[in-house]
Amino acid sequence: FYTWILAQPQFGPVITDWVENKRIRKTIKVKASIAIVVSIGISACIVPGVGVRVVLIVIGCTAILFLATRKG
């Protein structure tokens, strides 16, 4: 699986860059952040309970913070 996914043009360069250099390109950070905001936003609208929504938002913010603090 690892060899196969590295051979994919969409994922291979991104994964290789992370493994070798611990770096995430700015375009990937932006795309990932947008995906996180959209998915967490939709999930927060669907799930019942304020507590669950807060947890989702905290997880999303933490993931975006992680992306933002990686070198690119």
Side-chain angles (χ1 to χ4, degrees):
F1 178 75
Y2 185 72
T3 305
W4 174 81
I5 203 157
L6 286 180
Q8 303 304 307
Q10 301 90 349
F11 305 114
V14 176
I15 295 170
T16 302
D17 209 17
W18 173 253
V19 170
E20 292 177 358
N21 305 311
K22 296 292 186 234
R23 181 177 66 175
I24 304 171
R25 291 178 293 169
K26 185 175 181 176
T27 56
I28 300 301
K29 289 182 187 183
V30 170
K31 289 177 184 178
S33 296
I34 291 169
I36 291 168
V37 168
V38 169
S39 62
I40 295 292
I42 291 171
S43 298
C45 290
I46 293 173
V47 297
V50 175
V52 178
R53 289 181 181 143
V54 169
V55 170
L56 283 171
I57 292 168
V58 168
I59 290 170
C61 290
T62 304
I64 290 172
L65 182 63
F66 175 82
L67 288 172
T69 58
R70 300 306 104 182
K71 65 181 175 180

